[in-house]
Amino acid sequence: QKEVEQDPGPLSVPEGAIVSLNCTYSNSAFQYFMWYRQYSRKGPELLMYTYSSGNKEDGRFTAQVDKSSKYISLFIRDSQPSDSATYLCAMSGPDSWGKFQFGAGTQVVVTP
Amino acid sequence: EAGVTQSPTHLIKTRGQQATLRCSPISGHTSVYWYQQALGLGLQFLLWYDEGEERNRGNFPPRFSGRQFPNYSSELNVNALELEDSALYLCASSAGGTSGNEPQFFGPGTRLTVL
């Protein structure tokens, strides 16, 4: 079993809809949770960085962490065709020593 | 502010050769990380350097090695290339620290193709 599980998709939504992405994990020591966006053949771009449980909002993006369920989510409001990309979750803990554990990524397609 | 830069963009080698990939971190960042992103396998952690020292390495054979220079730039060397080394190699940098949990910012990657 992988430490971080993420549905690969593709997830297709119409423009303007809310995109809902999630990851589950098995290591209860994880405390830092990240979401990255990766366009085809490009490097990942950091979208959200959160510590421990709770919600964080930044513009159209909301990240949620539920450590009791070992479950994290990313919501994208008012989705645009430019949001079409692969979204990667990543996480680490006090004993990770620089080694972020990444999910496999979810491909999102926003159709006009 | 300039982001993480990597060179070359593409690299084509034959099996058994050596490859050298280079990375310049964001100005002010002291930590550099290397990841391999092979098709269908996701990002796999390779190495972490901070202040010129190797802090951690992933589950890769010793033919994957690297170093960090006094200006915090880094290079990744892959010896005795194998076909399965073909992948996108990503470098990331962070502000550094002893835990390695700071946000990591990625470069565009070097696509290595082994023939």
Side-chain angles (χ1 to χ4, degrees), chain A residues 32 36 38 41-44 46 49 88 92-94 96-100 102, chain B residues 33 35 37 45 48 56 90 98-108 111:
Chain A
Y32 302 87
Y36 287 85
Q38 186 174 25
R41 308 181 80 82
K42 302 290 185 182
L46 181 64
Y49 175 88
L88 303 159
S92 67
S96 294
W97 298 106
K99 181 182 178 180
F100 283 12
F102 280 82
Chain B
Y33 311 81
Y35 289 84
Q37 188 175 33
F45 171 79
W48 171 32
N56 197 9
L90 292 160
T98 56
S99 73
N101 287 307
E102 297 76 20
Q104 297 179 13
F105 299 87
F106 284 84
R111 186 160 298 280

Side-chain angles (χ1 to χ4, degrees), chain A residues 27-62:
Chain A
N27 188 345
S28 58
F30 286 148
Q31 295 182 351
Y32 302 87
F33 304 93
M34 285 69 64
W35 286 97
Y36 287 85
R37 176 175 64 194
Q38 186 174 25
Y39 292 110
S40 180
R41 308 181 80 82
K42 302 290 185 182
E45 172 191 3
L46 181 64
L47 292 175
M48 301 289 274
Y49 175 88
T50 56
Y51 171 73
S52 195
S53 286
N55 296 353
K56 182 176 181 179
E57 189 173 317
D58 184 0
R60 297 186 296 116
F61 299 94
T62 299

Side-chain angles (χ1 to χ4, degrees), chain B residues 11-19 36 63-64 78-87 89 111-115:
Chain B
L11 191 57
I12 300 175
K13 294 286 186 178
T14 56
R15 196 168 51 182
Q17 286 188 315
Q18 178 196 41
Q36 181 194 67
R63 57 191 187 83
F64 287 83
V78 188
N79 294 320
L81 285 165
E82 300 178 1
L83 296 178
E84 52 264 35
D85 296 333
S86 294
Y89 287 84
R111 186 160 298 280
L112 173 64
T113 301
V114 182
L115 303 175

Side-chain angles (χ1 to χ4, degrees), chain A residues 41, chain B residues 6-12 21 87-89 108-112:
Chain A
R41 308 181 80 82
Chain B
Q6 292 186 245
S7 63
T9 304
H10 296 93
L11 191 57
I12 300 175
L21 290 64
L88 181 67
Y89 287 84
T110 291
R111 186 160 298 280
L112 173 64

